[in-house]
Amino acid sequence: MQEQPLLSIDNLHVKFSRSEDEVFAVNGVSFAIHANESLGIVGESGSGKSVTLMSSIGLLRENGKITSGTANFLGKDLLKLRPRQLEDIRGRDIGVVFQDPMTSLNPVMRIGDQIMEAMLTHQYAGRREAFERTIQLLHEMGIPDPKSRFKNYPHEFSGGMRQRIMIAIALACEPQLLIADEPTTALDVTVQMQILALLQDLRRKHGMSVVMVTHDFGLATNFCDKIIVMYGGKIMEMATTDQFIREATHPYSIGLKRSIIEVGHKGKEIISIPKSAKTLTETPAGCPFAERCTYKTERCHHEVPELRTFGIDHQIACHHAEEVASYAV
Amino acid sequence: MASSAVIKKSDAVVKKRTFHRSPFYQGWKRFKNHKLAVIGMVWVVLFLIAGIIGPYVAPYDYRSGDFLAINQGPSWQHIFGTDNVGHDMFSQILYSVRSALIIAFGATVVSFVIGIILGLWAGLRGGIADMIIMRAVDFMMTLPGFLFALILVILLGRGYTSLILAIGIPGWAGYARLIRSLVLGMRDGEMVEAARALGASQAHIARRYMLPNVIGSMGVALAFGIPGDLTQIAGLSIFGMGLQPPIPSFGNMIAQASDNILGFPWLLYFPAGIFALTLLAFLFVADGLQEAFSPKGGN
């Protein structure tokens, strides 16, 4: 028997109502993350990867609605909690780092105060301890001269530095779970690696779990223990990173892997996935990826493929996974 | 080496300028570079001082006229001359500054408070409340504010309070619209989302995140509102709907003087000139504030 997962999301459905129609953003997503694990959720824009996580911690936009599902975190169903109780959990037990550090900080507040604020709001520490911990956090984030930087305003920092501050804020109360929503997308590649290394280091040191939402395959395979590929609001493939690298089989995963441009791979063909992702305005009758899939058959249009076990630590939602695997090898 | 020394020096300059500077401090620095705004500021401060100490230093009482010296030109005794019942114009102006300031600030505060409450409500609540408030704003915008104020004065009377209300009440719509748009711009922004992700409550977000970030823009709107209200007071007085005549006011003086403009033009020059300069000064200050604090002003 495996230990209790830290966060387990079960059969989550989320839809957004627009003035003229409804968008089905998440259609039955289930996964679990255990203590000390890092999970990467990969997918194109609009695949529902961010929405899955944000809705589970109550950060849905007003027009979004969770139609069914549960999200168990430490024995509590986050989706059933009152807003007040969620506020207690967010920031204390679950930290969040967003994509754009340039606009996520309050421009009229000193950064030290912003880091302290998280601790004071959650009564995690008194003023004195909070101050000392802030200095310590800034130091851990690799920000030089933390004592004098404490008094700086966000506009006095570069993008990479601001993201470090965002991470410091997210980690201030030592959360057990960190949700990183494309934490490095807005940064330079060199800075990306620094931030990732920092996150990895902090994860080891504090023993926390990280869910990383990204569209960067390389980043996910480098950083995470487990990878989930999402498309059309559903999980297409889920595997441990090693398994995934070796035997990713879903046509969509293969397509994603082929469309990556790598340095030093001159001559290697880059194949893009035909057509582009569509916004789902009705529940699909078949596989959401069918339209763009080169392996599709009649069956794919009529029957929704369920996530099924394909190998050890490897699940896939494709009717033709076996055939695809035999072609691909 | 010379070049490395130069680089070092410029580094030091950059450091000195950018460290620990709050956005408000930066705004102040930009404001200081705006020459007209600073000149306007000096005039506004003088005007404020005159409003506060004016009645105590005025050489003559505003009620008692010297019937032996009416309609006099400027002299050492009456530096701005006297009017048709022998009031000292300089003293009259000093008294007028106070009444003008009380009504202008009072009216601006009234419109601002109504505007901020309704604007916040519309912006944060959205939905039906938003729709009703914004339609009310549209309605107010189509009404000629001056006419509305005139009607209110007729209904409420001509005291300080009623003038403040008459000028203040019609003015809320602009503020409400501004605050709503600022709140809407921020409500779904990354900063507020990040704060929510940290577990901040709605009230906390409104207080610590939204308010400090809109204060600059609201200050600018206030600064533009005051000269507008000053004009309205004077306008009402010229229509005979301002403060009751024994109480001096710019509008009353200008109205009176314009009857005798050919005989005693200086009676018009001083009050009208000072009033016009004051309006200009307030506008310069508002302009400087806008350049220094509005989001487009750099940074």
Side-chain angles (χ1 to χ4, degrees):
Chain A
M1 186 67 204
Q2 228 178 353
E3 58 171 326
Q4 193 75 9
L6 187 60
L7 170 70
S8 71
I9 289 177
D10 196 38
N11 196 26
L12 183 74
H13 286 79
V14 180
K15 68 174 182 191
F16 289 94
S17 32
R18 299 193 296 197
S19 47
E20 70 279 19
D21 56 3
E22 286 179 329
V23 178
F24 295 87
V26 179
N27 303 304
V29 166
S30 312
F31 65 87
I33 176 159
H34 296 266
N36 227 336
E37 197 178 41
S38 63
L39 171 71
I41 302 184
V42 189
E44 281 170 86
S45 317
S47 59
K49 51 195 193 322
S50 294
V51 177
T52 303
L53 287 167
M54 292 304 139
S55 57
S56 65
I57 54 169
L59 289 180
L60 263 187
R61 290 276 150 91
E62 261 162 34
N63 60 345
K65 197 172 174 299
I66 299 164
T67 44
S68 71
T70 57
N72 266 304
F73 180 74
L74 298 173
K76 279 174 274 187
D77 185 358
L78 295 179
L79 306 185
K80 290 206 176 68
L81 291 183
R82 282 196 300 273
R84 192 39 64 78
Q85 294 169 305
L86 265 176
E87 278 165 15
D88 269 354
I89 289 180
R90 284 200 301 258
R92 200 183 55 199
D93 299 322
I94 302 180
V96 187
V97 177
F98 286 101
Q99 177 176 354
D100 193 353
M102 306 309 274
T103 51
S104 297
L105 289 163
N106 187 347
V108 296
M109 233 166 126
R110 297 173 192 276
I111 59 109
D113 291 331
Q114 296 193 45
I115 299 174
M116 274 175 70
E117 191 185 33
M119 288 182 260
L120 297 175
T121 314
H122 293 294
Q123 282 147 10
Y124 174 83
R127 276 210 148 263
R128 239 212 122 67
E129 298 146 71
F131 175 76
E132 269 153 23
R133 182 157 163 70
T134 302
I135 301 289
Q136 154 103 38
L137 274 166
L138 288 174
H139 179 73
E140 260 183 62
M141 296 305 139
I143 292 170
D145 197 9
K147 272 219 172 88
S148 77
R149 289 305 232 162
F150 183 94
K151 288 188 180 141
N152 280 157
Y153 287 88
H155 66 88
E156 293 163 344
F157 289 90
S158 64
M161 283 294 171
R162 284 192 216 186
Q163 193 59 295
R164 283 163 204 257
I165 291 158
M166 290 302 295
I167 295 172
I169 293 173
L171 296 185
C173 298
E174 293 192 281
Q176 303 180 48
L177 175 66
L178 181 73
I179 294 176
D181 190 353
E182 311 207 16
T184 58
T185 310
L187 304 174
D188 280 353
V189 211
T190 45
V191 182
Q192 268 185 22
M193 283 332 286
Q194 291 171 12
I195 296 284
L196 283 179
L198 177 72
L199 271 178
Q200 191 73 285
D201 188 39
L202 291 166
R203 188 169 78 84
R204 293 224 176 87
K205 226 191 290 181
H206 298 282
M208 72 186 166
S209 309
V210 177
V211 182
M212 170 99 71
V213 176
T214 178
H215 56 244
D216 185 340
F217 244 124
L219 192 153
T221 48
N222 271 323
F223 183 80
C224 303
D225 306 330
K226 219 164 121 187
I227 287 181
I228 287 178
V229 177
M230 278 189 74
Y231 187 84
K234 287 180 89 71
I235 294 180
M236 295 285 108
E237 191 162 21
M238 175 155 66
T240 57
T241 306
D242 295 343
Q243 292 284 40
F244 191 85
I245 294 172
R246 230 176 302 129
E247 51 170 50
T249 310
H250 195 285
Y252 181 54
S253 311
I254 295 174
L256 283 179
K257 273 170 114 180
R258 280 200 190 132
S259 53
I260 296 171
I261 302 171
E262 281 171 279
V263 179
H265 277 240
K266 203 175 175 188
K268 185 180 149 188
E269 200 178 351
I270 294 155
I271 304 157
S272 68
I273 304 175
K275 301 181 188 166
S276 61
K278 265 197 350 204
T279 321
L280 293 173
T281 49
E282 54 194 57
T283 345
C287 175
F289 187 61
E291 272 204 15
R292 302 170 69 188
C293 185
T294 41
Y295 301 96
K296 64 165 180 279
T297 58
E298 261 312 286
R299 192 181 166 204
C300 300
H301 285 294
H302 300 304
E303 196 183 326
V304 181
E306 294 305 322
L307 202 60
R308 60 191 168 103
T309 307
F310 184 69
I312 310 153
D313 294 326
H314 190 177
Q315 286 173 293
I316 195 164
C318 176
H319 294 310
H320 306 298
E322 286 79 8
E323 297 151 54
V324 176
S326 65
Y327 287 132
V329 174
Chain B
M1 271 216 324
S3 64
S4 77
V6 168
I7 289 165
K8 265 204 177 132
K9 197 176 168 198
S10 68
D11 268 0
V13 169
V14 169
K15 251 188 176 167
K16 203 175 159 205
R17 196 171 54 222
T18 56
F19 265 46
H20 307 330
R21 295 299 183 236
S22 81
F24 291 104
Y25 181 86
Q26 291 194 321
W28 170 239
K29 282 199 88 163
R30 281 196 293 269
F31 183 82
K32 278 200 302 194
N33 288 332
H34 196 301
K35 275 209 189 79
L36 280 177
V38 174
I39 295 171
M41 188 73 153
V42 171
W43 183 270
V44 167
V45 169
L46 285 177
F47 197 74
L48 288 177
I49 292 172
I52 294 163
I53 64 165
Y56 306 109
V57 299
Y60 299 89
D61 188 32
Y62 72 89
R63 278 160 300 211
S64 56
D66 181 357
F67 291 103
L68 298 176
I70 59 169
N71 290 334
Q72 285 190 342
S75 66
W76 284 116
Q77 250 180 5
H78 304 284
I79 54 171
F80 288 175
T82 57
D83 68 4
N84 57 355
V85 280
H87 290 140
D88 175 51
M89 287 302 283
F90 181 62
S91 306
Q92 293 266 312
I93 286 174
L94 281 178
Y95 278 100
S96 311
V97 170
R98 173 175 277 196
S99 60
L101 280 176
I102 289 174
I103 298 175
F105 275 90
T108 309
V109 167
V110 167
S111 6
F112 191 62
V113 168
I114 303 176
I116 203 171
I117 292 171
L118 292 178
L120 273 177
W121 197 14
L124 289 175
R125 266 299 168 82
I128 293 226
D130 182 33
M131 213 191 73
I132 292 173
I133 291 170
M134 290 326 283
R135 291 302 78 75
V137 166
D138 291 342
F139 177 70
M140 292 302 293
M141 291 287 197
T142 58
L143 283 184
F146 185 72
L147 197 67
F148 198 175
L150 207 60
I151 293 166
L152 279 176
V153 175
I154 293 166
L155 291 176
L156 297 171
R158 291 168 67 183
Y160 274 104
T161 326
S162 45
L163 276 171
I164 286 175
L165 291 177
I167 296 167
I169 289 172
W172 63 271
Y175 296 111
R177 179 177 279 182
L178 173 73
I179 287 154
R180 173 182 175 269
S181 72
L182 290 172
V183 167
L184 280 188
M186 252 187 296
R187 195 183 60 177
D188 295 331
E190 278 94 349
M191 184 185 79
V192 167
E193 195 177 14
R196 290 219 293 143
L198 279 178
S201 62
Q202 273 295 338
H204 185 94
I205 289 173
R207 204 173 59 240
R208 298 278 308 224
Y209 287 78
M210 289 190 166
L211 201 61
N213 280 294
V214 298
I215 268 181
S217 307
M218 296 201 296
V220 172
L222 272 180
F224 275 111
I226 289 169
D229 286 350
L230 277 173
T231 326
Q232 291 233 338
I233 305 161
L236 284 175
S237 297
I238 288 168
F239 271 75
M241 283 295 160
L243 288 168
Q244 291 280 8
I247 307 169
S249 75
F250 282 104
N252 289 343
M253 283 187 280
I254 292 167
Q256 243 172 53
S258 51
D259 294 340
N260 293 326
I261 187 159
L262 291 176
F264 318 108
W266 58 87
L267 291 183
L268 186 63
Y269 293 159
F270 289 108
I274 287 173
F275 190 66
L277 281 177
T278 305
L279 289 183
L280 206 59
F282 269 107
L283 284 173
F284 283 153
V285 171
D287 208 35
L289 285 178
Q290 176 157 49
E291 226 154 88
F293 286 107
S294 80
K296 282 176 206 145
N299 193 10

